Amino acid sequence: MLLSGGTSIGLFDSGLGGLTVLRELHRACPGQRYAYLGDNARFPYGTKSADTIVRYSRECAGFLLKQEVGLIVVACNTASSIAIAALEAELSVPVIGTVVPAVREALAATRSGVVGVLGTNATVASGVYEAALREREAGVKVTSQACPLFVPLVEAGMLDGEIVEKVAELYLAPLKAQGVDTVILGCTHYPLLIGPIRRFLGDGVAVVECSKAIARDVQDLLGLPGAPAQGRGATQYFVTDEVGQFNKLAGLFLGGQHVEAVRIESLL
Ligand code: DGL
């Protein structure tokens, strides 16, 4: 598919987390142009009400449309869980969120039909993952776990070590007790904690990263060949608050890539 209405792919997140999606898109669709918006002035979304998350998401999408994007990737599970229906109904360009791609991969991976979902408070409270899993596979058993300490740990650059292992145990032990064989990382920050998460869950549990699942969907939508190509598309980075910390941590999310974000005064 050729993008209509614009030539680049727009992504937004409450801040840095969506960069894990961008990293996978850079790998899967390297020739594309990207516009990434991190709404760091209003981070985090995961503790906000549904009304507020829908309003923020509309404003982020509106800003990206002004950058002439032809496709919007909602690179935030919180926004995807709560605002995707509004965005799909209102926007003139295709919208891809995290939930559908991640659910598809989880159902393909599970053998026991017992699936765990990790997410922010708002994502878990929305019940969207459970509903999407059950809609496609009525018999699936779902255990969801809000992990409010994971995002601050990642933002503090704490990706490993004793404290992280303890927090991982706290959140993952209930899922293990339920006998999950597949766990969805339902937050775009969590791939940075993949080491401790995998160590606690063990080899027998499949871990689904929505960032990788979305990248495959975008690749399919654009009709690009399946084999990942080398190189990176040109990317513009926009933030709604200060750039220093964003640029510093962005390298961590993007595998060492240097980022120079532009601060925008208003999304409107
Ligand atoms: N990246 C967001 C998500 O995927 C989490 C951070 C936040 O709470 O805004 O849900």
Side-chain angles (χ1 to χ4, degrees):
M1 183 193 96
L2 282 175
L3 299 178
S4 59
T7 51
S8 55
I9 297 173
L11 297 88
F12 77 87
D13 177 60
S14 56
L16 290 150
L19 294 172
T20 59
V21 178
L22 183 62
R23 186 183 58 194
E24 297 304 330
L25 283 172
H26 280 160
R27 286 184 186 146
C29 315
Q32 301 292 317
R33 292 201 293 131
Y34 297 93
Y36 181 91
L37 170 64
D39 189 10
N40 56 347
R42 304 188 291 192
F43 169 87
Y45 282 11
T47 53
K48 305 286 190 310
S49 68
D51 285 358
T52 299
I53 293 163
V54 171
R55 177 161 55 85
Y56 288 178
S57 300
R58 279 193 178 114
E59 290 171 7
C60 289
F63 172 81
L64 289 172
L65 286 178
K66 280 191 253 162
Q67 311 312 307
E68 306 206 324
V69 300
L71 165 67
I72 290 185
V73 175
V74 183
C76 172
N77 278 271
T78 308
S80 292
S81 298
I82 287 146
I84 195 88
L87 297 180
E88 281 173 349
E90 293 163 18
L91 299 183
S92 53
V93 300
V95 182
I96 295 188
T98 56
V99 178
V100 170
V103 160
R104 191 195 54 232
E105 300 235 334
L107 291 175
T110 186
R111 297 286 163 262
S112 65
V114 187
V115 175
V117 178
L118 305 176
T120 61
N121 288 339
T123 296
V124 168
S126 76
V128 163
Y129 270 103
E130 284 95 326
L133 284 159
R134 293 213 178 95
E135 190 185 303
R136 286 163 184 78
E137 190 75 59
V140 74
K141 188 173 165 211
V142 189
T143 305
S144 297
Q145 176 69 49
C147 310
L149 293 173
F150 273 174
V151 168
L153 283 173
V154 170
E155 299 260 329
M158 287 180 70
L159 309 182
D160 242 315
E162 203 183 328
I163 293 171
V164 181
E165 304 280 346
K166 279 275 169 225
V167 174
E169 181 183 347
L170 174 77
Y171 293 143
L172 300 174
L175 270 61
K176 216 171 180 176
Q178 292 297 319
V180 297
D181 76 344
T182 303
V183 170
I184 296 174
L185 303 189
C187 172
T188 49
H189 277 71
Y190 299 174
L192 276 85
L193 298 174
I194 191 89
I197 290 172
R198 276 201 202 283
R199 270 195 294 284
F200 185 84
L201 291 173
D203 288 341
V205 177
V207 178
V208 174
E209 293 180 49
C210 50
S211 40
K212 292 193 171 134
I214 289 187
R216 279 189 273 276
D217 274 25
V218 172
Q219 209 173 36
D220 286 350
L221 190 75
L222 299 178
L224 295 174
Q230 300 299 316
R232 291 195 177 99
T235 305
Q236 287 177 290
Y237 297 89
F238 301 98
V239 289
T240 52
D241 203 349
E242 65 101 31
V243 291
Q245 184 69 356
F246 181 89
N247 289 346
K248 199 167 132 215
L249 283 172
L252 200 65
F253 284 76
L254 289 167
Q257 196 189 331
H258 177 70
V259 164
E260 279 191 33
V262 172
R263 179 177 177 167
I264 50 173
E265 290 312 316
S266 162
L267 288 175
L268 305 177

PDB file of all heavy atoms in Angstrom, residues 13 29 64 76 108 182 198 214 239:
ATOM      1  N   ASP A  13       3.681   8.468  21.667  1.00  0.00           N
ATOM      2  CA  ASP A  13       3.690   7.797  22.969  1.00  0.00           C
ATOM      3  C   ASP A  13       3.713   8.899  24.018  1.00  0.00           C
ATOM      4  O   ASP A  13       3.965  10.070  23.701  1.00  0.00           O
ATOM      5  CB  ASP A  13       4.944   6.915  23.097  1.00  0.00           C
ATOM      6  CG  ASP A  13       5.043   6.248  24.466  1.00  0.00           C
ATOM      7  OD1 ASP A  13       4.137   5.493  24.824  1.00  0.00           O
ATOM      8  OD2 ASP A  13       6.017   6.505  25.199  1.00  0.00           O
ATOM      9  N   CYS A  29      11.093  -1.710   8.358  1.00  0.00           N
ATOM     10  CA  CYS A  29      10.785  -0.838   7.213  1.00  0.00           C
ATOM     11  C   CYS A  29      11.806   0.297   7.183  1.00  0.00           C
ATOM     12  O   CYS A  29      11.475   1.464   7.470  1.00  0.00           O
ATOM     13  CB  CYS A  29       9.376  -0.251   7.350  1.00  0.00           C
ATOM     14  SG  CYS A  29       8.111  -1.414   7.845  1.00  0.00           S
ATOM     15  N   LEU A  64       0.477  14.998  14.599  1.00  0.00           N
ATOM     16  CA  LEU A  64       1.165  14.180  13.578  1.00  0.00           C
ATOM     17  C   LEU A  64       0.546  14.398  12.198  1.00  0.00           C
ATOM     18  O   LEU A  64       1.257  14.438  11.194  1.00  0.00           O
ATOM     19  CB  LEU A  64       1.104  12.695  13.968  1.00  0.00           C
ATOM     20  CG  LEU A  64       1.991  12.306  15.162  1.00  0.00           C
ATOM     21  CD1 LEU A  64       1.724  10.875  15.589  1.00  0.00           C
ATOM     22  CD2 LEU A  64       3.473  12.487  14.825  1.00  0.00           C
ATOM     23  N   CYS A  76       1.889   3.372  22.174  1.00  0.00           N
ATOM     24  CA  CYS A  76       1.673   3.424  23.617  1.00  0.00           C
ATOM     25  C   CYS A  76       0.499   2.498  23.902  1.00  0.00           C
ATOM     26  O   CYS A  76      -0.576   2.665  23.319  1.00  0.00           O
ATOM     27  CB  CYS A  76       1.336   4.860  24.015  1.00  0.00           C
ATOM     28  SG  CYS A  76       0.830   5.060  25.727  1.00  0.00           S
ATOM     29  N   ALA A 108      -1.242 -17.126  18.857  1.00  0.00           N
ATOM     30  CA  ALA A 108      -0.459 -18.052  18.024  1.00  0.00           C
ATOM     31  C   ALA A 108       0.568 -18.791  18.883  1.00  0.00           C
ATOM     32  O   ALA A 108       0.920 -19.937  18.601  1.00  0.00           O
ATOM     33  CB  ALA A 108       0.241 -17.287  16.902  1.00  0.00           C
ATOM     34  N   THR A 182       2.311 -17.933  28.088  1.00  0.00           N
ATOM     35  CA  THR A 182       2.551 -16.802  27.190  1.00  0.00           C
ATOM     36  C   THR A 182       2.256 -15.527  27.974  1.00  0.00           C
ATOM     37  O   THR A 182       1.243 -15.462  28.675  1.00  0.00           O
ATOM     38  CB  THR A 182       1.603 -16.890  25.960  1.00  0.00           C
ATOM     39  OG1 THR A 182       1.830 -18.150  25.317  1.00  0.00           O
ATOM     40  CG2 THR A 182       1.837 -15.764  24.979  1.00  0.00           C
ATOM     41  N   ARG A 198      12.324 -12.400  31.445  1.00  0.00           N
ATOM     42  CA  ARG A 198      12.573 -13.766  30.919  1.00  0.00           C
ATOM     43  C   ARG A 198      13.209 -14.656  31.991  1.00  0.00           C
ATOM     44  O   ARG A 198      12.872 -15.832  32.114  1.00  0.00           O
ATOM     45  CB  ARG A 198      13.500 -13.710  29.714  1.00  0.00           C
ATOM     46  CG  ARG A 198      12.792 -13.429  28.417  1.00  0.00           C
ATOM     47  CD  ARG A 198      13.684 -13.898  27.256  1.00  0.00           C
ATOM     48  NE  ARG A 198      13.356 -13.228  26.014  1.00  0.00           N
ATOM     49  CZ  ARG A 198      12.310 -13.530  25.254  1.00  0.00           C
ATOM     50  NH1 ARG A 198      11.494 -14.475  25.636  1.00  0.00           N
ATOM     51  NH2 ARG A 198      12.077 -12.863  24.137  1.00  0.00           N
ATOM     52  N   ILE A 214       3.686  -5.048  16.046  1.00  0.00           N
ATOM     53  CA  ILE A 214       3.241  -3.878  15.274  1.00  0.00           C
ATOM     54  C   ILE A 214       4.082  -3.725  14.018  1.00  0.00           C
ATOM     55  O   ILE A 214       3.566  -3.442  12.933  1.00  0.00           O
ATOM     56  CB  ILE A 214       3.382  -2.572  16.091  1.00  0.00           C
ATOM     57  CG1 ILE A 214       2.366  -2.502  17.194  1.00  0.00           C
ATOM     58  CG2 ILE A 214       3.245  -1.350  15.200  1.00  0.00           C
ATOM     59  CD1 ILE A 214       2.366  -1.181  17.912  1.00  0.00           C
ATOM     60  N   VAL A 239       9.104  16.514  20.953  1.00  0.00           N
ATOM     61  CA  VAL A 239       8.682  16.310  22.344  1.00  0.00           C
ATOM     62  C   VAL A 239       7.914  17.548  22.815  1.00  0.00           C
ATOM     63  O   VAL A 239       8.102  18.643  22.278  1.00  0.00           O
ATOM     64  CB  VAL A 239       9.876  16.035  23.299  1.00  0.00           C
ATOM     65  CG1 VAL A 239      10.479  14.670  23.056  1.00  0.00           C
ATOM     66  CG2 VAL A 239      10.936  17.120  23.194  1.00  0.00           C
TER      67      VAL A 239
END
